[in-house]
Amino acid sequence: MQKVRFGIVGIGNMGTAHCKSLLEGKIANGVLSAICEPKKAKADAILALEGARNVVAFADYGEMLHSGLCDAVIVAVPPYDHQALVCQALDAGLHVICEKPAGVYTKQVKEMNATAERSDKLFGMMFNQRSNPI
């Protein structure tokens, strides 16, 4: 199976956790190839991690999407921005995994789903506590 090159937008708690999981090889056939974070200190912290020497940092999301470095994007930004970033990635021809919640308003979620249906790419939500028995 070929490797899936991931770009992550949003280097907060969850974005950082996803970066580390990819860099540590915890995601079978997944590699971190790019990050998008406007705050240079946060981006630099990821680039300083072991295994991140080939990761490219972007401050501009559109540049990351059209860089040719990613097959898929993980959207790990605050929920109000999910819809716009998910739709941009799908429209750019990339697969998307979005952190929960899907959106703040039902209309945003419907727009993401409609964009995904028009696309030939995969779109999914990240429910990282789905196996927690609590």
Side-chain angles (χ1 to χ4, degrees):
M1 176 180 247
Q2 76 181 45
K3 301 248 182 213
V4 176
R5 301 170 303 156
F6 282 92
I8 297 177
V9 59
I11 306 300
N13 290 336
M14 290 313 302
T16 297
H18 294 313
C19 287
K20 288 179 178 178
S21 291
L22 284 159
L23 291 172
E24 293 168 4
K26 293 181 180 178
I27 310 301
N29 297 313
V31 295
L32 181 62
S33 60
I35 59 172
C36 181
E37 174 56 57
K39 295 179 181 169
K40 187 173 177 354
K42 287 185 175 188
D44 287 346
I46 297 301
L47 298 178
L49 294 173
E50 186 175 331
R53 69 180 172 276
N54 294 322
V55 176
V56 177
F58 294 88
D60 181 271
Y61 185 57
E63 285 182 30
M64 184 181 83
L65 294 180
H66 298 287
S67 68
L69 294 173
C70 306
D71 303 310
V73 172
I74 297 175
V75 176
V77 299
Y80 283 98
D81 295 325
H82 286 181
Q83 180 268 330
L85 299 180
V86 165
C87 291
Q88 280 182 279
L90 289 166
D91 288 340
L94 300 173
H95 303 288
V96 181
I97 300 173
C98 184
E99 270 297 335
K100 63 175 176 43
V104 179
Y105 304 108
T106 304
K107 180 180 178 185
Q108 293 174 321
V109 178
K110 288 180 178 180
E111 288 174 8
M112 288 189 296
N113 288 336
T115 302
E117 287 176 16
R118 288 191 304 270
S119 169
D120 66 344
K121 301 301 175 188
L122 299 174
F123 169 52
M125 295 302 303
M126 181 73 70
F127 293 103
N128 64 342
Q129 296 293 319
R130 70 191 176 284
S131 61
N132 187 337
I134 292 174

